[in-house]
Amino acid sequence: MSSVNGTKFNSAVFLLTGIPGQEDVHLWISIPFSLMYIISIVGNSVILFIIKTDPSLHEPMYIFLSMLAITDLALSISTMPTTLGILLLNSREISLDACFAQLFFIHLLKCIESSVLLLMAFDRFIAICNPLRYASILTLPRIGKMGLVCVLRGVALILPLPLLLQRFRYCRSNVLSHCYCLNQDVMKMACSDIRVNSIYGLSVSVFTVWMDSLLIFLSYVMILKTVLSITSHVECLRALNTCVSHLCAVLLFYTPMIGLSVIHRFGTGSSPLLQIPLGYIHVLVPPVMNPIVYSVKSKHLRVRIIRVFVK
């Protein structure tokens, strides 16, 4: 299907984009993408299985890790069909309703993941700054309520995005910038005034990604202050070592996501060589790397995973 150039045509489909200029080698590019999806699904599934079946891992830190694994697993599944469809089958068309549904789940899962990373920072803060009250503060019922609040917060904030997009007629070029649908990308295709969408999308970004990252930063300032007051050098390093995995997950999640958000909103005319890799990194890399990082850094988890595979 050719691109839509007319200004009075209400497009029934969007055209997704793979890697521009590399269409001839899409089949080869699909190999590392497929491997990343397999690693993400298998890695997060193994972590969930180990945590569920081992009672000694039913602790707050590992329960939060299981929440992160569920979110990463769902994110991989929500982006896999259209990405591999383009790379393997050159299937670029996606209906408006399917596009709106996909962008809802992608943004919802990113919002939930941001909330979970904030909860994990809170977990490290309590464990290091107030260890004597750790068990009384982070009880299982309270953790369950925290997880429910994360989901409800995400649904409440993200649900208006596709509802606002459904009001528009799409009469401009219907070619999107990525292998999947994003709110910032889709709303630029509308031939109507998108100021409300733009302001709401920016507000959601501020009240989720930017606010969560700021709270995580402040929690680590307090953690660092507490750790530096420890006289024993060994205990100081041990306390910091418990935060390494979470810090890696935070950097993997927020760095490309904030960069892509800034480019979409303020980087008019920015190079696709920067935008396209960030678009893939922010949905592909965290689900792949998080289970690897936590498996390597967490001795208890690593030992139990090795024990399962040895058996």
Side-chain angles (χ1 to χ4, degrees):
M1 181 177 178
S2 60
S3 297
V4 178
N5 296 320
T7 58
K8 295 184 179 180
F9 182 76
N10 189 18
S11 176
V13 296
F14 289 124
L15 296 180
L16 300 169
T17 301
I19 301 179
Q22 304 297 323
E23 288 80 7
D24 294 339
V25 292
H26 270 183
L27 186 60
W28 294 104
I29 295 173
S30 69
I31 296 175
F33 274 78
S34 299
L35 288 175
M36 292 179 73
Y37 279 124
I38 292 172
I39 293 171
S40 170
I41 291 172
V42 172
N44 287 292
S45 298
V46 167
I47 284 181
L48 288 171
F49 174 77
I50 296 296
I51 293 175
K52 183 179 186 301
T53 57
D54 193 332
S56 66
L57 296 179
H58 294 176
E59 301 176 359
M61 181 176 73
Y62 295 106
I63 294 173
F64 288 131
L65 177 57
S66 66
M67 293 180 185
L68 185 67
I70 291 172
T71 307
D72 283 337
L73 191 61
L75 184 62
S76 293
I77 293 172
S78 67
T79 57
M80 184 194 311
T82 53
T83 303
L84 295 183
I86 291 174
L87 297 177
L88 291 173
L89 306 173
N90 196 31
S91 177
R92 297 181 60 196
E93 292 189 0
I94 183 170
S95 68
L96 266 65
D97 290 339
C99 187
F100 295 153
Q102 186 183 46
L103 74 84
F104 168 74
F105 282 109
I106 290 176
H107 288 286
L108 172 64
L109 292 167
K110 300 303 284 187
C111 180
I112 293 175
E113 182 157 351
S114 179
S115 301
V116 172
L117 289 173
L118 177 59
L119 292 181
M120 296 175 84
F122 178 69
D123 169 76
R124 291 299 83 206
F125 170 77
I126 298 298
I128 294 174
C129 299
N130 200 352
L132 297 179
R133 297 188 59 199
Y134 181 77
S136 62
I137 292 175
L138 292 176
T139 61
L140 291 181
R142 188 168 291 166
I143 292 173
K145 292 176 182 178
M146 289 177 177
L148 181 60
V149 168
C150 289
V151 175
L152 294 177
R153 174 208 191 197
V155 172
L157 290 173
I158 302 302
L159 185 58
L161 293 179
L163 297 179
L164 289 170
L165 290 172
Q166 285 181 335
R167 303 176 305 136
F168 296 144
R169 291 179 64 254
Y170 296 91
C171 55
R172 296 175 181 169
S173 174
N174 60 344
V175 181
L176 301 177
S177 304
H178 305 287
C179 282
Y180 45 82
C181 296
L182 292 176
N183 177 63
Q184 306 97 307
D185 208 10
V186 172
M187 69 180 182
K188 293 178 182 177
M189 303 293 106
C191 52
S192 308
D193 187 358
I194 61 171
R195 282 181 295 181
V196 173
N197 294 61
S198 183
I199 292 171
Y200 183 77
L202 181 61
S203 301
V204 170
S205 180
V206 168
F207 284 107
T208 55
V209 175
W210 294 93
M211 186 177 71
D212 291 352
S213 59
L214 176 61
L215 291 174
I216 291 172
F217 173 76
L218 293 176
S219 69
Y220 271 102
V221 169
M222 299 299 295
I223 288 172
L224 189 60
K225 181 180 177 181
T226 302
V227 168
L228 292 178
S229 65
I230 300 175
T231 55
S232 171
H233 184 65
V234 175
E235 291 297 324
C236 178
L237 291 178
R238 184 179 298 173
L240 287 175
N241 191 51
T242 63
C243 301
V244 172
S245 301
H246 180 252
L247 281 172
C248 291
V250 167
L251 291 175
L252 286 170
F253 178 80
Y254 286 108
T255 304
M257 191 173 183
I258 291 176
L260 187 65
S261 177
V262 170
I263 288 174
H264 269 297
R265 296 187 183 282
F266 309 111
T268 305
S270 60
S271 172
L273 295 176
L274 179 62
Q275 180 176 325
I276 292 173
L278 279 178
Y280 288 116
I281 288 171
H282 100 286
V283 297
L284 281 175
V285 173
V288 172
M289 293 304 300
N290 285 341
I292 295 174
V293 169
Y294 275 94
S295 299
V296 170
K297 291 301 298 178
S298 173
K299 181 181 178 181
H300 298 294
L301 191 61
R302 183 174 67 250
V303 168
R304 281 155 180 78
I305 290 175
I306 292 173
R307 191 176 298 166
V308 168
F309 282 100
V310 167
K311 285 183 180 180

